[in-house]
Amino acid sequence: MIAAEKFSDAYLKFTRALNQFEVREEDHTIRVPEKVIRCIWNDQLFCTPKLKTQDDQNLEIIYPGHWNFGKGPDFTSATIKVNDKVYEGDVELHVYATGWESHGHSQNPDFDNVILHVYMWQGRGKQPPKQSKKNNATFDFEIKDFLTKGILDLNDELDFENYPVLNQCNVGLCHEPLSRLSEEKLTQLLNAAGEARVLRKLDRFHDPIIIDGYEQTFYRGVAEALGYPNNKQPFQILADTLPLTMLRDLVPAKFKGEERALHYQALFFGASGLIDTKTWEEIPALRKLVKILASYKNSLPDSPLTKKDWCFRAIRPANYPYRRIAGLAYLIVLHEKKGLFANFIQAISTLKSKNASRKEIDKLLNFFCLDAADYWSQHYTPGGKTLADAQQLIGAARSREIIINIGLPIGLIFARAGKLGDLEERLNHIFQISKGASDNKLIRFMKHYIFGDQEQMLRQLSSEKQVQGLMQVYQDFCTQSQNNCLRCPFPDVVSKYFS
């Protein structure tokens, strides 16, 4: 049995007391942090393999190296080829070339094995300084002219919560003091951070709710979650281009059920820029969508989206935007009578706050699951191979993620605005349900890096609240310290405030 309780801001108050560190969800500032350069290098986001060093030598990246979490260069054990000669060593990255000298690397023996100094700009129009590097084989590489997209676009699109890639060789300096905490104190820390993660999200939804209302804000949030992690922005644009009121006005009321969902699909695909008319007209099911879209050619709003705005790289085919767009269309139709948000709140309100059965809990967690006898339930791409078995357009794992990341914060705003304490307790109860807690590459990394994969500590991640709490600690401390433990106050914080 889980005791009903409201969300606490204890972690928020605690982190605000820690000088410059504040609870964060994402960094939306225009500045370009050094971690962007790290992410670009980690993923090798260069538009051509024909790279050049600053002294115009041919450069080939054979292996970018391991992301380093301790002192020393940013990447270790890299392999490059310069003018067909192979070099092995470390890579150091900066926003500006002058970072090498200003950070004192020339006199630091930890950087003696650097073979490549990578930076975005030379800095203030100056040539790279004459550096007294001890390794004569160090080359300079300015990356600004070789990027797949502009640096500000990459800064907006890179999802920092999916970095860095798991490195099995390291654990963070916070692991040791955390391992000394009692189970009670570790759980208390994780719960407080998990609740802070939800409370932090209230700010980003509060103003849109005032301007656009609950239903449109919720619809936009669900669309964003369907695009997570690599297609969040185009899904947001899609929801803004075709708001709920416009969709209802465009599609005649005579179209019901699946037929209405097809009309919404056609409008979404038309605004998305994903339709390749020649290919789609060769496929009967997609030809119908093209025909439906043609009937709206004079009323479809202009959209800035093109196929280039959508990402298919490093995404499981089941999560391709074609299928998610179809799922969104069916969701709207399914809940159109009362509203998607209204039905979600009703589902929460009918859940028993203490003694809900497993069947009731499963039904709620699967609120956004979507089965449909649709072309996209058996295909990942237009004209692609037909799947042996139909797949849900929105599965159980994504449904839970939508509830946690969108449903909880918007639902909490609604509960507090209406002084619905019972609803807030039910929302918190959902957050504490153990079944189906999130698990992805980043979480597995944190389990290793922060918890050292220790069974006793991993047992404390028994609910979504604790997993989200671990993610918030990572965001507040690891990310702000650019994954450099030597810059991070969290180990001292654990020892001072929680031991």
Side-chain angles (χ1 to χ4, degrees), residues 306-329:
T306 68
K307 189 171 183 177
K308 292 181 180 179
D309 294 310
W310 298 89
C311 179
F312 292 84
R313 184 176 60 86
I315 296 178
R316 292 177 56 244
N319 297 332
Y320 278 179
Y322 301 110
R323 292 169 40 78
R324 297 306 193 200
I325 287 174
L328 182 61

PDB file of all heavy atoms in Angstrom, residues 306-329:
ATOM      1  N   THR A 306       9.685  20.293 -43.644  1.00  0.00           N
ATOM      2  CA  THR A 306      10.024  19.477 -44.810  1.00  0.00           C
ATOM      3  C   THR A 306      10.545  18.143 -44.300  1.00  0.00           C
ATOM      4  O   THR A 306      10.782  17.973 -43.096  1.00  0.00           O
ATOM      5  CB  THR A 306      11.105  20.144 -45.684  1.00  0.00           C
ATOM      6  OG1 THR A 306      12.343  20.149 -44.954  1.00  0.00           O
ATOM      7  CG2 THR A 306      10.716  21.571 -46.057  1.00  0.00           C
ATOM      8  N   LYS A 307      10.770  17.219 -45.180  1.00  0.00           N
ATOM      9  CA  LYS A 307      11.264  15.906 -44.752  1.00  0.00           C
ATOM     10  C   LYS A 307      12.623  16.017 -44.070  1.00  0.00           C
ATOM     11  O   LYS A 307      12.956  15.219 -43.187  1.00  0.00           O
ATOM     12  CB  LYS A 307      11.357  14.959 -45.955  1.00  0.00           C
ATOM     13  CG  LYS A 307      11.646  13.520 -45.546  1.00  0.00           C
ATOM     14  CD  LYS A 307      11.522  12.555 -46.708  1.00  0.00           C
ATOM     15  CE  LYS A 307      11.751  11.110 -46.222  1.00  0.00           C
ATOM     16  NZ  LYS A 307      11.576  10.129 -47.310  1.00  0.00           N
ATOM     17  N   LYS A 308      13.412  17.021 -44.447  1.00  0.00           N
ATOM     18  CA  LYS A 308      14.739  17.196 -43.838  1.00  0.00           C
ATOM     19  C   LYS A 308      14.661  17.536 -42.359  1.00  0.00           C
ATOM     20  O   LYS A 308      15.652  17.381 -41.625  1.00  0.00           O
ATOM     21  CB  LYS A 308      15.509  18.294 -44.580  1.00  0.00           C
ATOM     22  CG  LYS A 308      15.892  17.928 -46.011  1.00  0.00           C
ATOM     23  CD  LYS A 308      16.673  19.053 -46.659  1.00  0.00           C
ATOM     24  CE  LYS A 308      17.065  18.692 -48.086  1.00  0.00           C
ATOM     25  NZ  LYS A 308      17.817  19.796 -48.743  1.00  0.00           N
ATOM     26  N   ASP A 309      13.502  18.015 -41.903  1.00  0.00           N
ATOM     27  CA  ASP A 309      13.353  18.374 -40.490  1.00  0.00           C
ATOM     28  C   ASP A 309      13.137  17.156 -39.604  1.00  0.00           C
ATOM     29  O   ASP A 309      13.202  17.268 -38.374  1.00  0.00           O
ATOM     30  CB  ASP A 309      12.166  19.335 -40.308  1.00  0.00           C
ATOM     31  CG  ASP A 309      12.410  20.668 -40.973  1.00  0.00           C
ATOM     32  OD1 ASP A 309      13.477  21.252 -40.732  1.00  0.00           O
ATOM     33  OD2 ASP A 309      11.543  21.119 -41.750  1.00  0.00           O
ATOM     34  N   TRP A 310      12.870  16.004 -40.207  1.00  0.00           N
ATOM     35  CA  TRP A 310      12.575  14.801 -39.431  1.00  0.00           C
ATOM     36  C   TRP A 310      13.801  13.904 -39.359  1.00  0.00           C
ATOM     37  O   TRP A 310      14.524  13.735 -40.329  1.00  0.00           O
ATOM     38  CB  TRP A 310      11.408  14.045 -40.059  1.00  0.00           C
ATOM     39  CG  TRP A 310      10.143  14.847 -40.073  1.00  0.00           C
ATOM     40  CD1 TRP A 310       9.738  15.692 -41.058  1.00  0.00           C
ATOM     41  CD2 TRP A 310       9.146  14.893 -39.060  1.00  0.00           C
ATOM     42  NE1 TRP A 310       8.544  16.277 -40.726  1.00  0.00           N
ATOM     43  CE2 TRP A 310       8.148  15.792 -39.499  1.00  0.00           C
ATOM     44  CE3 TRP A 310       8.993  14.261 -37.823  1.00  0.00           C
ATOM     45  CZ2 TRP A 310       7.015  16.074 -38.737  1.00  0.00           C
ATOM     46  CZ3 TRP A 310       7.856  14.543 -37.069  1.00  0.00           C
ATOM     47  CH2 TRP A 310       6.892  15.442 -37.528  1.00  0.00           C
ATOM     48  N   CYS A 311      14.005  13.335 -38.193  1.00  0.00           N
ATOM     49  CA  CYS A 311      15.163  12.473 -37.967  1.00  0.00           C
ATOM     50  C   CYS A 311      14.751  11.005 -37.995  1.00  0.00           C
ATOM     51  O   CYS A 311      13.771  10.609 -37.355  1.00  0.00           O
ATOM     52  CB  CYS A 311      15.802  12.806 -36.617  1.00  0.00           C
ATOM     53  SG  CYS A 311      17.225  11.776 -36.215  1.00  0.00           S
ATOM     54  N   PHE A 312      15.491  10.206 -38.736  1.00  0.00           N
ATOM     55  CA  PHE A 312      15.279   8.760 -38.771  1.00  0.00           C
ATOM     56  C   PHE A 312      16.514   8.014 -38.275  1.00  0.00           C
ATOM     57  O   PHE A 312      16.475   6.809 -38.107  1.00  0.00           O
ATOM     58  CB  PHE A 312      14.940   8.309 -40.194  1.00  0.00           C
ATOM     59  CG  PHE A 312      13.601   8.783 -40.688  1.00  0.00           C
ATOM     60  CD1 PHE A 312      13.464  10.048 -41.251  1.00  0.00           C
ATOM     61  CD2 PHE A 312      12.486   7.978 -40.580  1.00  0.00           C
ATOM     62  CE1 PHE A 312      12.231  10.494 -41.707  1.00  0.00           C
ATOM     63  CE2 PHE A 312      11.241   8.424 -41.028  1.00  0.00           C
ATOM     64  CZ  PHE A 312      11.121   9.678 -41.594  1.00  0.00           C
ATOM     65  N   ARG A 313      17.601   8.775 -38.046  1.00  0.00           N
ATOM     66  CA  ARG A 313      18.859   8.160 -37.626  1.00  0.00           C
ATOM     67  C   ARG A 313      18.790   7.758 -36.160  1.00  0.00           C
ATOM     68  O   ARG A 313      18.311   8.483 -35.310  1.00  0.00           O
ATOM     69  CB  ARG A 313      20.010   9.153 -37.833  1.00  0.00           C
ATOM     70  CG  ARG A 313      21.385   8.602 -37.529  1.00  0.00           C
ATOM     71  CD  ARG A 313      22.456   9.648 -37.871  1.00  0.00           C
ATOM     72  NE  ARG A 313      22.276  10.860 -37.101  1.00  0.00           N
ATOM     73  CZ  ARG A 313      22.763  11.045 -35.877  1.00  0.00           C
ATOM     74  NH1 ARG A 313      23.442  10.091 -35.290  1.00  0.00           N
ATOM     75  NH2 ARG A 313      22.573  12.193 -35.251  1.00  0.00           N
ATOM     76  N   ALA A 314      19.297   6.561 -35.866  1.00  0.00           N
ATOM     77  CA  ALA A 314      19.384   6.052 -34.494  1.00  0.00           C
ATOM     78  C   ALA A 314      18.015   5.960 -33.817  1.00  0.00           C
ATOM     79  O   ALA A 314      17.892   6.147 -32.607  1.00  0.00           O
ATOM     80  CB  ALA A 314      20.334   6.911 -33.668  1.00  0.00           C
ATOM     81  N   ILE A 315      16.972   5.690 -34.596  1.00  0.00           N
ATOM     82  CA  ILE A 315      15.623   5.515 -34.065  1.00  0.00           C
ATOM     83  C   ILE A 315      15.122   4.126 -34.435  1.00  0.00           C
ATOM     84  O   ILE A 315      15.300   3.683 -35.578  1.00  0.00           O
ATOM     85  CB  ILE A 315      14.649   6.571 -34.642  1.00  0.00           C
ATOM     86  CG1 ILE A 315      15.058   7.973 -34.206  1.00  0.00           C
ATOM     87  CG2 ILE A 315      13.225   6.297 -34.189  1.00  0.00           C
ATOM     88  CD1 ILE A 315      14.168   9.057 -34.778  1.00  0.00           C
ATOM     89  N   ARG A 316      14.533   3.438 -33.486  1.00  0.00           N
ATOM     90  CA  ARG A 316      13.916   2.146 -33.790  1.00  0.00           C
ATOM     91  C   ARG A 316      12.812   2.360 -34.813  1.00  0.00           C
ATOM     92  O   ARG A 316      12.015   3.298 -34.697  1.00  0.00           O
ATOM     93  CB  ARG A 316      13.341   1.509 -32.530  1.00  0.00           C
ATOM     94  CG  ARG A 316      14.374   1.059 -31.523  1.00  0.00           C
ATOM     95  CD  ARG A 316      13.735   0.502 -30.269  1.00  0.00           C
ATOM     96  NE  ARG A 316      12.825  -0.596 -30.567  1.00  0.00           N
ATOM     97  CZ  ARG A 316      11.513  -0.574 -30.345  1.00  0.00           C
ATOM     98  NH1 ARG A 316      10.936   0.511 -29.860  1.00  0.00           N
ATOM     99  NH2 ARG A 316      10.775  -1.619 -30.641  1.00  0.00           N
ATOM    100  N   PRO A 317      12.726   1.507 -35.826  1.00  0.00           N
ATOM    101  CA  PRO A 317      11.697   1.691 -36.856  1.00  0.00           C
ATOM    102  C   PRO A 317      10.282   1.825 -36.294  1.00  0.00           C
ATOM    103  O   PRO A 317       9.456   2.548 -36.860  1.00  0.00           O
ATOM    104  CB  PRO A 317      11.843   0.430 -37.712  1.00  0.00           C
ATOM    105  CG  PRO A 317      13.272   0.034 -37.569  1.00  0.00           C
ATOM    106  CD  PRO A 317      13.627   0.372 -36.147  1.00  0.00           C
ATOM    107  N   ALA A 318      10.005   1.131 -35.192  1.00  0.00           N
ATOM    108  CA  ALA A 318       8.660   1.222 -34.603  1.00  0.00           C
ATOM    109  C   ALA A 318       8.345   2.637 -34.131  1.00  0.00           C
ATOM    110  O   ALA A 318       7.179   2.994 -33.953  1.00  0.00           O
ATOM    111  CB  ALA A 318       8.535   0.244 -33.434  1.00  0.00           C
ATOM    112  N   ASN A 319       9.389   3.467 -33.933  1.00  0.00           N
ATOM    113  CA  ASN A 319       9.189   4.847 -33.471  1.00  0.00           C
ATOM    114  C   ASN A 319       9.296   5.877 -34.589  1.00  0.00           C
ATOM    115  O   ASN A 319       9.352   7.072 -34.304  1.00  0.00           O
ATOM    116  CB  ASN A 319      10.222   5.185 -32.387  1.00  0.00           C
ATOM    117  CG  ASN A 319      10.069   4.334 -31.150  1.00  0.00           C
ATOM    118  OD1 ASN A 319       8.969   3.874 -30.840  1.00  0.00           O
ATOM    119  ND2 ASN A 319      11.156   4.105 -30.438  1.00  0.00           N
ATOM    120  N   TYR A 320       9.326   5.424 -35.836  1.00  0.00           N
ATOM    121  CA  TYR A 320       9.412   6.361 -36.949  1.00  0.00           C
ATOM    122  C   TYR A 320       8.225   7.325 -36.935  1.00  0.00           C
ATOM    123  O   TYR A 320       7.108   6.958 -36.532  1.00  0.00           O
ATOM    124  CB  TYR A 320       9.434   5.606 -38.280  1.00  0.00           C
ATOM    125  CG  TYR A 320      10.806   5.072 -38.671  1.00  0.00           C
ATOM    126  CD1 TYR A 320      10.981   4.347 -39.847  1.00  0.00           C
ATOM    127  CD2 TYR A 320      11.923   5.290 -37.876  1.00  0.00           C
ATOM    128  CE1 TYR A 320      12.227   3.854 -40.218  1.00  0.00           C
ATOM    129  CE2 TYR A 320      13.166   4.815 -38.233  1.00  0.00           C
ATOM    130  CZ  TYR A 320      13.315   4.096 -39.401  1.00  0.00           C
ATOM    131  OH  TYR A 320      14.543   3.615 -39.755  1.00  0.00           O
ATOM    132  N   PRO A 321       8.443   8.569 -37.365  1.00  0.00           N
ATOM    133  CA  PRO A 321       7.378   9.572 -37.284  1.00  0.00           C
ATOM    134  C   PRO A 321       6.113   9.226 -38.064  1.00  0.00           C
ATOM    135  O   PRO A 321       5.029   9.683 -37.696  1.00  0.00           O
ATOM    136  CB  PRO A 321       8.040  10.838 -37.831  1.00  0.00           C
ATOM    137  CG  PRO A 321       9.288  10.391 -38.514  1.00  0.00           C
ATOM    138  CD  PRO A 321       9.709   9.142 -37.847  1.00  0.00           C
ATOM    139  N   TYR A 322       6.213   8.415 -39.126  1.00  0.00           N
ATOM    140  CA  TYR A 322       5.001   8.026 -39.857  1.00  0.00           C
ATOM    141  C   TYR A 322       3.998   7.376 -38.912  1.00  0.00           C
ATOM    142  O   TYR A 322       2.803   7.720 -38.905  1.00  0.00           O
ATOM    143  CB  TYR A 322       5.342   7.029 -40.975  1.00  0.00           C
ATOM    144  CG  TYR A 322       6.317   7.516 -42.009  1.00  0.00           C
ATOM    145  CD1 TYR A 322       7.611   6.992 -42.076  1.00  0.00           C
ATOM    146  CD2 TYR A 322       5.956   8.488 -42.936  1.00  0.00           C
ATOM    147  CE1 TYR A 322       8.518   7.428 -43.029  1.00  0.00           C
ATOM    148  CE2 TYR A 322       6.850   8.930 -43.897  1.00  0.00           C
ATOM    149  CZ  TYR A 322       8.131   8.399 -43.942  1.00  0.00           C
ATOM    150  OH  TYR A 322       9.027   8.835 -44.885  1.00  0.00           O
ATOM    151  N   ARG A 323       4.482   6.426 -38.131  1.00  0.00           N
ATOM    152  CA  ARG A 323       3.604   5.676 -37.229  1.00  0.00           C
ATOM    153  C   ARG A 323       3.103   6.557 -36.085  1.00  0.00           C
ATOM    154  O   ARG A 323       1.948   6.451 -35.666  1.00  0.00           O
ATOM    155  CB  ARG A 323       4.351   4.459 -36.679  1.00  0.00           C
ATOM    156  CG  ARG A 323       4.651   3.399 -37.734  1.00  0.00           C
ATOM    157  CD  ARG A 323       5.612   2.335 -37.229  1.00  0.00           C
ATOM    158  NE  ARG A 323       5.365   1.942 -35.853  1.00  0.00           N
ATOM    159  CZ  ARG A 323       4.404   1.117 -35.459  1.00  0.00           C
ATOM    160  NH1 ARG A 323       3.586   0.586 -36.363  1.00  0.00           N
ATOM    161  NH2 ARG A 323       4.257   0.808 -34.183  1.00  0.00           N
ATOM    162  N   ARG A 324       3.959   7.428 -35.579  1.00  0.00           N
ATOM    163  CA  ARG A 324       3.547   8.291 -34.475  1.00  0.00           C
ATOM    164  C   ARG A 324       2.499   9.320 -34.927  1.00  0.00           C
ATOM    165  O   ARG A 324       1.586   9.667 -34.186  1.00  0.00           O
ATOM    166  CB  ARG A 324       4.763   9.019 -33.900  1.00  0.00           C
ATOM    167  CG  ARG A 324       5.812   8.112 -33.282  1.00  0.00           C
ATOM    168  CD  ARG A 324       5.219   7.195 -32.244  1.00  0.00           C
ATOM    169  NE  ARG A 324       6.253   6.553 -31.438  1.00  0.00           N
ATOM    170  CZ  ARG A 324       6.054   5.463 -30.742  1.00  0.00           C
ATOM    171  NH1 ARG A 324       4.863   4.876 -30.742  1.00  0.00           N
ATOM    172  NH2 ARG A 324       7.028   4.938 -30.023  1.00  0.00           N
ATOM    173  N   ILE A 325       2.650   9.829 -36.142  1.00  0.00           N
ATOM    174  CA  ILE A 325       1.661  10.772 -36.668  1.00  0.00           C
ATOM    175  C   ILE A 325       0.306  10.084 -36.813  1.00  0.00           C
ATOM    176  O   ILE A 325      -0.738  10.649 -36.455  1.00  0.00           O
ATOM    177  CB  ILE A 325       2.134  11.346 -38.019  1.00  0.00           C
ATOM    178  CG1 ILE A 325       3.276  12.345 -37.781  1.00  0.00           C
ATOM    179  CG2 ILE A 325       0.983  12.020 -38.769  1.00  0.00           C
ATOM    180  CD1 ILE A 325       3.917  12.863 -39.056  1.00  0.00           C
ATOM    181  N   ALA A 326       0.315   8.863 -37.323  1.00  0.00           N
ATOM    182  CA  ALA A 326      -0.938   8.107 -37.442  1.00  0.00           C
ATOM    183  C   ALA A 326      -1.545   7.884 -36.065  1.00  0.00           C
ATOM    184  O   ALA A 326      -2.769   8.027 -35.873  1.00  0.00           O
ATOM    185  CB  ALA A 326      -0.672   6.776 -38.135  1.00  0.00           C
ATOM    186  N   GLY A 327      -0.716   7.540 -35.086  1.00  0.00           N
ATOM    187  CA  GLY A 327      -1.218   7.326 -33.742  1.00  0.00           C
ATOM    188  C   GLY A 327      -1.841   8.576 -33.157  1.00  0.00           C
ATOM    189  O   GLY A 327      -2.881   8.523 -32.488  1.00  0.00           O
ATOM    190  N   LEU A 328      -1.218   9.733 -33.391  1.00  0.00           N
ATOM    191  CA  LEU A 328      -1.759  10.993 -32.902  1.00  0.00           C
ATOM    192  C   LEU A 328      -3.136  11.262 -33.499  1.00  0.00           C
ATOM    193  O   LEU A 328      -4.056  11.714 -32.796  1.00  0.00           O
ATOM    194  CB  LEU A 328      -0.794  12.132 -33.242  1.00  0.00           C
ATOM    195  CG  LEU A 328      -1.186  13.526 -32.759  1.00  0.00           C
ATOM    196  CD1 LEU A 328      -1.286  13.570 -31.242  1.00  0.00           C
ATOM    197  CD2 LEU A 328      -0.177  14.572 -33.251  1.00  0.00           C
ATOM    198  N   ALA A 329      -3.299  10.980 -34.789  1.00  0.00           N
ATOM    199  CA  ALA A 329      -4.591  11.189 -35.446  1.00  0.00           C
ATOM    200  C   ALA A 329      -5.684  10.338 -34.804  1.00  0.00           C
ATOM    201  O   ALA A 329      -6.790  10.813 -34.525  1.00  0.00           O
ATOM    202  CB  ALA A 329      -4.471  10.861 -36.932  1.00  0.00           C
TER     203      ALA A 329
END
